[in-house]
Amino acid sequence: MGNGKKKMGKMTKTLVTALVAVVVLAGAVAAIKFIPDEEESSGSEDKSVVLFSENRKSITEVKVENESGGYTAVWNDGKVTIPALEGVPENVSLISALSLKATKITATQMITEDLSNEASYGLDEPRARVKISYGEGESFEIEFGDSAPGQAGVYAKCGGKIYITDATTAAGFLYSDKELANLALTPTVDIGKEMVIFGDITLEGSSRKETIKIRRTADENDSPLIVAAVFEMVEPHNRLVGLEATEVLFNSILNINATELLIIAPTEEEIKAHGLDVPYSSVKYMLYESEELTDYQEFGIYISEPDEEGYCNAMIEGSSGIYKIKYKENSLFDAEYKDMLDNMPVLPMIKNVAQLTVKFGEEEYAYTLDAPDEKTLNVSCRGETIDTENFRVLYQTILMLTGEEFVEGVTDLGDEYMTITYKYIDERYEDSVLRLYEGPVRRYYIEINGGVDFTVKAQRVEDIEEKCAKLQNGEDIELYY
């Protein structure tokens, strides 16, 4: 093989692009072993000389040695694999294209039968040596050298003669085995055109304070906490997941391609050396295959801490390789608990609520709800019937008790100012309890099922108090925002 020294006119790997562009997946070609000498000598620039042609099913192995290390492709019942990539997803389309190229190798013309000056053609240190095994112990060998002037092709030595061959054919023999790996580490999706249905998601890693687990509810009746089929966080706290998180952050884990495959079948020491024994961040997720939310696939990607240039090492579920990828900022890789939160505490469908209780000071309003059918809602409080439409306004006002500022580590809350409790018809679900405590100026801390994440405006709390009193007195109330 060559020693890597530079030569004028050397063929470069930019030919790879041309190779992929011209590939056509056709059927097997007719078996033609070698063309007789007299037909070869009659070849001209406008007539191809067939150097080798064989049915794809007859080929058993293609062994390539080149400056990148080369690769070996093995045929088994018509399927082509790269043994060195065992345990690593292969680039199926590229390997299929290369296998098709190996079935027929042609030249545009013969240059000379004199091999004494092969260095002039870059064939003393060829860019690639190829051996194609086929039939019963038969084989075909060819070597590729420099590019011919005027983009005419590539010089090749075969059967004691020197030819000019098509550049795209030569390009297929310049890969290393690692370059034939599939570098798409997560699903490739045209988000603007294709439907993407995420299922459960788990975020972990040394970069996070807490594990974050998110689940998709199967339908609106699966949980009483939400208005429709969306996502709920189940760890570290039971919370709604924000709409922006589902639209932006979730999609950030799609279309991730590695820049290269670094190591195949790494050892434990290599995994540790690449920062993946304790991943900096990891994302495990499900993608449903249809709106019926039945069949799904599971994916997982683990990354190391990004370096100064914004690259990190990565491993994926189902692969024993270590890859290099560009770190995606503002993505699920670095999303924290606060990034996933909806600023609405809970969004129970009114039909799922058996009782809504609002308590502040000495006042307590326990609204009992009864929905005998889809169109009817009966409400009572303190032994009196409450106007249904006015109650719906109060209910919406309470739902809009939205968080304004995210807060962390608030533990000294003092006495409760207001408590709102949702009791559900389905007794399998625990009550949802919102507790409000005096906070900064004109703000209240809101505790949701045992955790404080936000402050809320005092005006909204006071509005609930006022509406409860008016509703009990039979007065009409309006939604202000």
Side-chain angles (χ1 to χ4, degrees):
M1 292 303 297
N3 59 11
K5 64 182 180 181
K6 297 182 179 179
K7 295 183 178 181
M8 185 67 71
K10 281 286 187 181
M11 177 174 56
T12 67
K13 291 186 181 179
T14 57
L15 297 175
V16 172
T17 303
L19 167 68
V20 176
V22 301
V23 168
V24 178
L25 296 179
V29 296
I32 305 173
K33 307 302 183 192
F34 293 94
I35 303 301
D37 289 346
E38 60 267 26
E39 185 172 342
E40 288 185 345
S41 62
S42 65
S44 62
E45 291 186 4
D46 58 355
K47 183 177 181 181
S48 293
V49 179
V50 179
L51 303 180
F52 173 77
S53 183
E54 183 59 75
N55 189 296
R56 212 182 329 197
K57 293 182 180 179
S58 299
I59 296 176
T60 58
E61 180 183 88
V62 174
K63 186 175 181 61
V64 179
E65 298 177 15
N66 58 37
E67 292 179 335
S68 299
Y71 60 90
T72 298
V74 175
W75 270 247
N76 187 9
D77 293 331
K79 181 181 179 182
V80 186
T81 60
I82 310 298
L85 295 180
E86 183 177 1
V88 174
E90 300 174 337
N91 187 327
V92 177
S93 61
L94 178 55
I95 293 173
S96 178
L98 295 181
S99 71
L100 183 63
K101 282 291 178 183
T103 63
K104 186 174 183 179
I105 299 176
T106 62
T108 56
Q109 66 181 101
M110 188 188 78
I111 300 299
T112 180
E113 297 183 45
D114 180 8
L115 302 183
S116 62
N117 195 25
E118 62 183 2
S120 301
Y121 306 99
L123 290 166
D124 57 331
E125 296 178 357
R127 299 295 302 275
R129 290 190 175 98
V130 181
K131 180 179 180 179
I132 302 174
S133 299
Y134 62 97
E136 296 181 359
E138 297 180 283
S139 64
F140 166 79
E141 297 184 22
I142 188 169
E143 297 178 357
F144 295 94
D146 289 343
S147 296
Q151 298 182 336
V154 175
Y155 294 116
K157 181 172 69 175
C158 173
K161 300 170 185 166
I162 296 176
Y163 299 88
I164 292 179
T165 61
D166 182 77
T168 59
T169 298
F173 301 114
L174 294 181
Y175 290 96
S176 68
D177 49 14
K178 291 179 182 177
E179 290 174 311
L180 299 179
N182 187 354
L183 298 183
L185 302 189
T186 64
T188 301
V189 178
D190 185 339
I191 298 172
K193 297 180 181 179
E194 299 178 60
M195 178 180 294
V196 182
I197 307 175
F198 278 90
D200 297 353
I201 298 176
T202 300
L203 309 179
E204 295 181 293
S206 62
S207 66
R208 291 190 172 89
K209 298 176 183 177
E210 303 166 296
T211 295
I212 301 171
K213 290 188 177 181
I214 296 167
R215 77 178 184 99
R216 185 187 187 95
T217 57
D219 56 57
E220 64 182 27
N221 295 315
D222 188 56
S223 169
L225 307 183
I226 57 176
V227 168
V230 290
F231 293 88
E232 285 183 290
M233 195 183 310
V234 294
E235 287 187 28
H237 304 291
N238 185 218
R239 296 288 187 272
L240 292 177
V241 175
L243 180 61
E244 182 177 355
T246 61
E247 291 185 346
V248 178
L249 287 176
F250 285 18
N251 287 338
S252 70
I253 206 64
L254 302 172
N255 302 319
I256 294 178
N257 293 293
T259 58
E260 61 179 308
L261 171 61
L262 299 174
I263 302 176
I264 300 172
T267 64
E268 291 184 8
E269 290 76 15
E270 288 172 324
I271 291 174
K272 183 176 181 179
H274 285 77
L276 292 165
D277 56 328
V278 181
Y280 176 76
S281 180
S282 70
V283 183
K284 295 182 180 181
Y285 60 102
M286 295 162 46
L287 287 181
Y288 285 100
E289 297 178 2
S290 67
E291 293 181 80
E292 284 71 32
L293 303 182
T294 51
D295 298 331
Y296 61 85
Q297 295 185 58
E298 294 183 298
F299 302 89
I301 181 167
Y302 313 83
I303 66 167
S304 66
E305 185 172 2
D307 60 23
E308 294 180 354
E309 296 179 348
Y311 288 91
C312 55
N313 303 316
M315 297 186 74
I316 58 172
E317 293 281 355
S319 171
S320 61
I322 294 179
Y323 303 81
K324 181 179 180 181
I325 68 171
K326 185 71 174 178
Y327 183 73
K328 274 193 174 185
E329 296 182 344
N330 302 316
S331 68
L332 279 181
F333 284 143
D334 51 26
E336 296 286 356
Y337 171 66
K338 65 179 180 179
D339 301 318
M340 311 305 296
L341 285 176
D342 195 306
N343 66 343
M344 287 186 162
V346 291
L347 289 173
M349 292 190 70
I350 198 168
K351 69 177 184 179
N352 291 327
V353 179
Q355 187 176 73
L356 174 65
T357 302
V358 181
K359 182 179 179 181
F360 49 89
E362 299 298 321
E363 299 290 342
E364 180 175 305
Y365 297 90
Y367 300 99
T368 300
L369 284 65
D370 176 43
D373 55 56
E374 289 291 330
K375 297 182 179 181
T376 306
L377 176 65
N378 301 317
V379 184
S380 62
C381 181
R382 297 180 179 178
E384 297 182 12
T385 299
I386 302 298
D387 180 81
T388 300
E389 294 309 312
N390 278 326
F391 176 77
R392 291 183 185 277
V393 173
L394 172 64
Y395 192 85
Q396 189 170 352
T397 301
I398 295 173
L399 289 182
M400 295 179 68
L401 195 64
T402 53
E404 297 292 332
E405 297 176 336
F406 179 78
V407 294
E408 290 182 285
V410 178
T411 55
D412 187 14
L413 295 171
D415 297 330
E416 294 178 22
Y417 181 82
M418 178 183 288
T419 305
I420 300 171
T421 304
Y422 295 88
K423 185 179 293 292
Y424 301 107
I425 293 173
D426 190 337
E427 295 181 354
R428 292 177 301 170
Y429 297 100
E430 297 181 357
D431 299 347
S432 294
V433 182
L434 313 181
R435 292 184 172 89
L436 293 121
Y437 303 84
E438 288 191 17
V441 178
R442 298 294 294 162
R443 292 285 191 277
Y444 286 88
Y445 292 118
I446 182 167
E447 182 187 70
I448 310 166
N449 295 331
V452 175
D453 298 317
F454 295 105
T455 63
V456 298
K457 291 180 178 179
Q459 177 187 355
R460 298 204 171 189
V461 178
E462 294 161 359
D463 189 29
I464 293 172
E465 294 181 38
E466 181 182 346
K467 280 183 168 58
C468 286
K470 287 186 175 181
L471 195 60
Q472 197 64 35
N473 292 332
E475 300 179 43
D476 291 336
I477 55 178
E478 296 178 1
L479 192 66
Y480 297 138
Y481 27 74

